[in-house]
């Protein structure tokens, strides 16, 4: 008794394997590219954060070490020039006769 062996198309099988491996390599490479971009963005944000922290620390130390200027007791009113800074604005109250005569 002999049985007929089914014929396998080897060329079609090898094409499918090649296509699958190319697709897998494309998925893997795209995943690697996305991971590299994410890591790059994290590194850039970290560097920017460190630069800002260093800048903030330097500016704070610089402000603390600078001599403090004396501030005037009252800020000048708007519309006045700098020559009249020593003059304080005065308010004059003129009483008005409340009881007016009826006609």
């Amino acid at each position: 008794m002999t049985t007929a062996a089914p014929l396998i198309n080897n060329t079609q099988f090898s094409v499918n394997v090649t296509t699958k491996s190319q697709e897998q390599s494309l998925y893997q490479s795209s995943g690697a590219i996305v991971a590299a971009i994410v890591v790059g963005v994290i590194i850039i944000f970290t560097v920017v954060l460190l630069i800002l922290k260093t800048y903030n620390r330097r500016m704070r130390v610089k402000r603390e070490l600078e001599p403090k200027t004396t501030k005037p007791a009252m800020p000048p009113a708007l519309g006045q020039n700098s020559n009249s800074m020593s003059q304080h604005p005065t308010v004059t109250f003129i009483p008005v006769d409340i009881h007016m005569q009826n006609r």
Side-chain angles (χ1 to χ4, degrees):
M1 286 201 312
T2 59
T3 59
L7 293 174
I8 298 175
N9 192 353
N10 289 336
T11 57
Q12 187 179 14
F13 180 71
S14 64
V15 170
N16 286 342
V17 170
T18 307
T19 307
K20 295 271 186 189
S21 65
Q22 285 177 351
E23 288 178 5
Q24 287 176 348
S25 65
L26 284 175
Y27 283 125
Q28 289 173 351
S29 64
S30 64
I33 291 172
V34 169
I37 290 172
V38 169
V39 169
V41 168
I42 290 172
I43 290 172
I44 289 172
F45 279 142
T46 304
V47 169
V48 169
L49 179 68
L50 290 174
I51 290 171
L52 288 175
K53 284 178 73 172
T54 305
Y55 176 77
N56 188 19
R57 186 177 300 133
R58 286 182 184 171
M59 288 295 114
R60 186 181 63 213
V61 169
K62 184 178 177 183
R63 280 189 308 242
E64 289 174 357
L65 293 178
E66 284 181 349
K68 299 193 178 187
T69 58
T70 58
K71 294 181 180 177
M74 283 185 58
L78 295 175
Q80 293 180 344
N81 57 12
S82 61
N83 294 336
S84 64
M85 281 178 48
S86 62
Q87 298 176 352
H88 296 290
T90 58
V91 177
T92 307
F93 179 71
I94 302 173
V96 178
D97 189 13
I98 296 174
H99 303 288
M100 297 181 70
Q101 293 179 352
N102 291 334
R103 290 186 180 182

